[in-house]
Amino acid sequence: MTPMDELARRLPELALRTSASDLEHYGRDWTRRWTPSPLAIALPSSTQEVQGIVRWANEHRVALVPSGGRTGLSGGAVAANGELVVSLEKMNRALGFDPVDRILTVQAGMALEAVHAAAQAQGLIYPVDFAARGSCSIGGNIATNAGGIRVVRYGNTREWIAGLTVVTGTGEVLELNRGLVKNSSGYDLRQLLIGAEGTLGIVVEAQLRLTDPPPASQVMLLALPSFEALMQVFAQLRARLTISAFEFFTDRALHHVAAHGAQRPFAEDYPYYVVTEFDGDSPDAALEAFGTLLEAELVVDGVIAQSQAQAAALWHLREGITEALARHLPYKNDVSVRIGAMPRFLAETQVLLGREYPHFEVVWFGHIGDGNLHINVLKPEAMENADFVHECGRVTALLAQSLQNHGGSISAEHGIGLVKKPYLSSTRSAGEVALMRGIRRAF
């Protein structure tokens, strides 16, 4: 009897897939850099089946790759060496809502957009949000401590996780924190699992904190004359408005989104753009802020959305970038520094990439309001992918050194995965890495 036959015998209700199309589909994420080669795809429907899979894998020394929506960009959900993919997509239900604690309990395979809908049905919101909301899973969000577009106001995923149910690498089920607000009874293992990319266990359920909807918001798009104006615009708007999002992108990003079907917002082209969302209870304050920025020559044009449809169209200019760039097989850097260090880091990085990528198109965008910058290097059509990745890796090593000098991180919100593993030492000391290895062994 083969190991797979044994797994099927132990868990007769477990869905197992081995077709070539399934192996390819479930064996990779959005990086598209590795050739998927999983052993098989397991789709458990319960925590007990996840336990059974983990115990079987321990006995037969089979590596596991937990899998959510596979929208990741760091190779964290890639199965290229005969691993068993454990897809949580069948565990996708809301399990209950506590109106007193305002906690929504969901299975890990539930899509973020479905979580938003379940919260809205209770008159509340789950505030973590980003463009992949329709396909990413809450388990994947937890695994990478996902941030997204409203971190300025609400923080990252970890701020909204009240409790977790996890299957560890030994097959033990842990219920972590159990929704408590105060719990000083030792190590907070819940927070240790958040951002661990599935290396310490498989999240099967999550207790999510919900909150009140914010006041009606407004969305404003600004055109900027220079890179140097970015942080000054952010500082002035933050001082005058209650900001929930502050996102920037370049003219090249707008070019690709427009080519992908979006409508250009202005008659003229400008080098840099900011889309910001803020509480709409003081519309005069927004107009005054815009006037001040215009007078100071920090912005050169702008528009405030007059309807929800127009607000969605303005947001699409930012949220549509990743999809618009996908056909160019971009090499992605997802980095962060303290907001206070951002101006100097931005200037230094611009010089670095201009020098090292003279013949490549580089598309910038990011969450400037929380110090997170996305750098997308587009592959020339005539260049072999292996050569392109090698060249980008060489430059990423230089970028990692710059991040180390500025006290930054090589991964702001996408995780380390396979892509960024060689650069981990720029963010974490040897002592930290040794401790993380020890923690993983313990789990």
Side-chain angles (χ1 to χ4, degrees):
M1 181 181 293
T2 68
M4 288 301 299
D5 290 336
E6 171 67 11
L7 178 61
R9 184 192 68 78
R10 287 192 194 182
L11 301 171
E13 302 299 318
L14 175 65
L16 290 168
R17 299 181 183 177
T18 56
S19 70
S21 60
D22 284 330
L23 297 181
E24 180 176 8
H25 175 69
Y26 289 94
R28 65 182 184 179
D29 62 10
W30 279 9
T31 52
R32 301 294 193 266
R33 196 175 301 174
W34 287 268
T35 301
S37 183
L39 171 67
I41 315 302
L43 295 98
S45 299
S46 67
T47 297
Q48 291 70 33
E49 285 189 336
V50 175
Q51 272 188 290
I53 292 168
V54 171
R55 289 169 176 165
W56 165 86
N58 265 322
E59 290 178 26
H60 294 278
R61 309 305 299 162
V62 175
L64 301 178
V65 174
S67 175
R70 294 176 307 286
T71 58
L73 298 164
S74 293
V78 170
N81 296 291
E83 304 94 338
L84 179 71
V85 173
V86 183
S87 170
L88 279 294
E89 69 176 36
K90 287 194 170 188
M91 298 176 65
N92 59 9
R93 295 181 294 114
L95 301 176
F97 174 68
D98 185 325
V100 177
D101 288 307
R102 303 210 292 187
I103 289 176
L104 177 68
T105 301
V106 303
Q107 292 180 307
M110 193 170 182
L112 178 59
E113 192 168 58
V115 170
H116 288 167
Q120 188 176 17
Q122 304 298 334
L124 300 168
I125 65 165
Y126 178 70
V128 181
D129 191 20
F130 29 82
R133 64 184 70 85
S135 50
C136 68
S137 72
I138 198 69
N141 298 170
I142 291 166
T144 56
N145 186 30
I149 59 178
R150 293 188 171 86
V151 171
V152 173
R153 181 168 189 152
Y154 294 108
N156 294 306
T157 294
R158 71 170 68 253
E159 275 77 41
W160 300 95
I161 305 301
L164 292 175
T165 302
V166 178
V167 178
T168 71
T170 63
E172 182 179 3
V173 176
L174 302 180
E175 293 183 6
L176 305 178
N177 196 61
R178 300 182 179 88
L180 296 173
V181 175
K182 290 185 174 181
N183 184 5
S184 295
S185 59
Y187 305 139
D188 191 344
L189 300 180
R190 161 196 52 157
Q191 293 293 351
L192 196 59
L193 267 290
I194 298 169
E197 299 184 64
T199 60
L200 303 182
I202 299 176
V203 174
V204 290
E205 294 178 15
Q207 293 174 297
L208 310 178
R209 297 193 195 282
L210 306 185
T211 191
D212 293 313
S217 63
Q218 286 189 285
V219 177
M220 179 164 58
L221 181 73
L222 301 172
L224 279 60
S226 69
F227 213 51
E228 293 72 28
L230 270 174
M231 298 311 296
Q232 297 179 67
V233 171
F234 173 64
Q236 292 209 28
L237 289 181
R238 183 170 59 173
R240 293 166 174 264
L241 306 172
T242 303
I243 292 177
S244 57
F246 185 91
E247 305 280 309
F248 109 99
F249 53 96
T250 64
D251 57 341
R252 296 310 303 163
L254 178 60
H255 166 80
H256 286 284
V257 176
H260 204 61
Q263 185 175 352
R264 288 184 171 274
F266 304 117
E268 295 183 46
D269 291 335
Y270 301 103
Y272 303 101
Y273 300 89
V274 161
V275 60
T276 183
E277 186 169 304
F278 51 92
D279 287 0
D281 49 3
S282 300
D284 292 342
L287 292 174
E288 289 173 10
F290 174 71
T292 300
L293 294 172
L294 199 61
E295 186 176 342
E297 298 183 343
L298 294 173
V299 303
V300 290
D301 207 343
V303 60
I304 298 179
Q306 300 301 311
S307 66
Q308 288 188 344
Q310 191 176 13
L314 295 181
W315 263 119
H316 180 67
L317 299 175
R318 162 62 183 85
E319 292 193 320
I321 296 172
T322 295
E323 183 179 343
L325 296 181
R327 69 183 186 89
H328 298 282
L329 301 177
Y331 184 102
K332 293 178 174 289
N333 290 115
D334 156 48
V335 303
S336 66
V337 295
R338 289 180 298 104
I339 298 172
M342 182 63 83
R344 202 156 52 91
F345 175 73
L346 283 173
E348 186 176 306
T349 304
Q350 226 184 2
V351 172
L352 169 67
L353 299 184
R355 182 184 70 235
E356 300 296 334
Y357 286 138
H359 305 301
F360 292 173
E361 182 180 358
V362 181
V363 178
W364 299 60
F365 65 92
H367 321 290
I368 291 295
D370 55 45
N372 179 193
L373 186 66
H374 297 283
I375 304 167
N376 298 256
V377 187
L378 307 192
K379 188 183 81 67
E381 287 189 16
M383 193 172 193
E384 290 293 330
N385 192 55
D387 295 336
F388 174 66
V389 170
H390 175 77
E391 181 62 11
C392 291
R394 178 187 67 80
V395 178
T396 298
L398 300 176
L399 180 62
Q401 181 60 57
S402 176
L403 285 162
Q404 189 170 31
N405 295 340
H406 288 277
S409 173
I410 193 66
S411 177
E413 58 180 359
H414 292 167
I416 292 297
L418 299 177
V419 172
K420 298 170 187 174
K421 188 177 178 182
Y423 315 108
L424 182 59
S425 61
S426 70
T427 299
R428 298 299 187 115
S429 68
E432 285 181 290
V433 172
L435 284 170
M436 288 195 287
R437 286 181 174 139
I439 291 166
R440 185 176 181 183
R441 283 194 297 271
F443 272 84

